Amino acid sequence: VLAVLVLIGLAPLATVAWKLIEINREALTTSQQELQLLLASRITNELDVHVEGFESELVRVAQTLGVAAVRPGTGRHDEVHRTMVDVVDERMLYLRYTYFRGQKATYLEQGSLPEKLEPIFASGLREAAEILAQTALNRPEQAIVSNPILLDGVPQRAVLVVSAPVVSRGRFAGVLSALVDLQQVWDSVAARNRTGHVIFVLDDSGRVVASSDPVRVVPGRDASGSALVARYLSGEGRARETLPFVESVEGREERYLGSYEVTRQGWGVFVQARLGDVYLPVRDMVSSALTWALAVLGVAVLAAVFFASTLSNPIKRLAAASRAFAAGEYALRVEVRSNNEIGELAHTYNVMAAEIEDQIRRLKRAAEENKELFLGTIRALAQAIVAKDPYTRGHSVRVNRYSIIIAREMNLSDEVISDIHVASLMHDVGKIG
């Protein structure tokens, strides 16, 4: 009964739970892929908007400088200085306007540039000048954004160099360059997208530029060993993609689900999560299902004990009554207050016991009558002996009495005493012949 009730209680629950877990596992994987792609896309768009904002701001200032026509001897440095002061803030850390006259280059600057960045900034400026000098007249609104640059520190901090052409009176006059704090932009973007995923940005060489978890994904580290990053770098993947992959972490392999999207500058925005974390709701569902299964099992056990007792106790009473009846307690009856088959069986047993008891009573009465008839016959034979030999009158009766007394003194059984009673009366029956 217990096994049946447990099976009935757990089998449907286990089947439904297993099916729901499988369905939810697939749904979670799909929704996780969609969520990660959406998150990567949103962060990519935000980064693009910020960088485009820097470009637009720099192009606007460059156009202002072009209108001011700043060059040696014009006396308009103060006006340019005020314009540059208004632009420099906590995100645009440093601004330099380099203007050309023949082979000579002169510059105005605002803000402070770390000494270690001077060679990088100058190199980027030269590259930008060569490009912008060729295209400035055709595309004066063009701006050039460098690859992210990592400053020393723990963690390393990312900056950008953004350059825009200055066109004055229809000719290329110089380059306006800005040092942009990309890390501050990233911190604000990452703070708005805290979802428990690991989010990071790579440049086009596979180097980590910024990360939402600098402990697990360290800025400056080469991440090209990752299968997902390798696909991004190879160009085989699309501009946005989601893939499961395996990565070795501290000597053990872990399964991940990763997504990436490429910014307008060619940087990769990656969003990834451990599959174990992705399936955490499924594990919670499994735990909940096990909890409910244990609860159902407990209820099933209690119900089984109760129903088993309602079934087995009447059967036990019926079996005990049957054994007692077989031992000679013919008046014993079974008290069962059930309307099921066991109650009907107990009622049938009671009816049978009553009929058997009545039959035994009649048989006992018939046996007594037969015994009396038998003893009457014996007495008649004893009287016949007396009639045959009057000399020994009363002898058989006296032998009978002495024999019974001696048998009782010897503690013989009632059955043996009964046999002696008959034998003592008949010991002289041969005299009749």
Side-chain angles (χ1 to χ4, degrees), residues 98-398:
T98 304
Y99 52 95
F100 302 96
R101 184 175 179 81
Q103 299 297 321
K104 184 179 179 181
T106 310
Y107 65 86
L108 298 173
E109 61 183 344
Q110 180 61 39
S112 59
L113 180 68
E115 186 177 348
K116 292 183 178 181
L117 283 183
E118 179 61 40
I120 299 175
F121 196 89
S123 174
L125 174 63
R126 285 194 297 271
E127 293 177 6
E130 293 174 0
I131 297 172
L132 295 175
Q134 300 174 6
T135 61
L137 298 180
N138 297 325
R139 297 178 58 191
E141 73 286 352
Q142 179 186 12
I144 296 175
V145 180
S146 71
N147 264 334
I149 304 165
L150 290 173
L151 303 181
D152 293 338
V154 180
Q156 292 182 295
R157 194 172 188 85
V159 294
L160 292 174
V161 176
V162 183
S163 303
V166 178
V167 178
S168 178
R169 297 177 181 177
R171 68 179 186 84
F172 175 70
V175 177
L176 181 66
S177 301
L179 181 68
V180 175
D181 190 349
L182 181 62
Q183 186 64 44
Q184 189 176 62
V185 174
W186 170 254
D187 290 342
S188 65
V189 171
R192 289 195 299 271
N193 295 279
R194 296 190 183 279
T195 58
H197 297 81
V198 177
I199 308 169
F200 54 94
V201 179
L202 303 180
D203 61 16
D204 53 13
S205 67
R207 183 185 55 167
V208 179
V209 174
S211 169
S212 64
D213 189 351
V215 176
R216 293 167 62 182
V217 182
V218 183
R221 178 172 67 88
D222 184 5
S224 58
S226 167
L228 187 64
V229 174
R231 184 169 177 82
Y232 152 72
L233 293 175
S234 68
E236 296 176 359
R238 298 183 294 272
R240 58 198 307 259
E241 197 166 8
T242 297
L243 293 172
F245 64 97
V246 177
E247 190 167 316
S248 179
V249 179
E250 296 179 355
R252 68 179 187 277
E253 290 188 347
E254 291 189 356
R255 297 179 62 82
Y256 284 86
L257 184 65
S259 303
Y260 70 85
E261 185 158 344
V262 182
T263 68
R264 190 170 59 89
Q265 304 300 326
W267 311 329
V269 175
F270 288 76
V271 178
Q272 67 183 35
R274 289 190 180 96
L275 280 180
D277 297 334
V278 172
Y279 293 141
L280 184 60
V282 173
R283 291 205 302 270
D284 291 341
M285 185 180 297
V286 172
S287 176
S288 177
L290 288 176
T291 301
W292 280 104
L294 291 176
V296 170
L297 179 60
V299 173
V301 169
L302 292 176
V305 170
F306 173 75
F307 285 114
S309 64
T310 59
L311 293 175
S312 62
N313 288 341
I315 294 175
K316 288 179 180 178
R317 291 200 297 271
L318 187 59
S322 299
R323 288 192 293 269
F325 187 87
E329 298 182 27
Y330 304 117
L332 187 63
R333 298 292 182 269
V334 180
E335 293 288 338
V336 176
R337 299 175 182 177
S338 301
N339 295 324
N340 55 15
E341 290 83 355
I342 296 177
E344 184 177 352
L345 179 61
H347 175 70
T348 304
Y349 169 82
N350 289 336
V351 171
M352 178 194 70
E355 291 181 354
I356 292 175
E357 184 184 13
D358 185 60
Q359 289 290 337
I360 291 174
R361 191 182 300 113
R362 287 199 295 268
L363 288 173
K364 284 183 177 179
R365 189 164 53 247
E368 289 295 330
E369 292 175 355
N370 288 336
K371 184 178 180 180
E372 288 299 322
L373 289 174
F374 174 72
L375 292 177
T377 303
I378 298 301
R379 292 188 190 100
L381 288 173
Q383 290 299 324
I385 295 171
V386 172
K388 180 69 176 177
D389 187 5
Y391 174 77
T392 58
R393 180 184 299 276
H395 169 70
S396 294
V397 174
R398 290 190 296 272

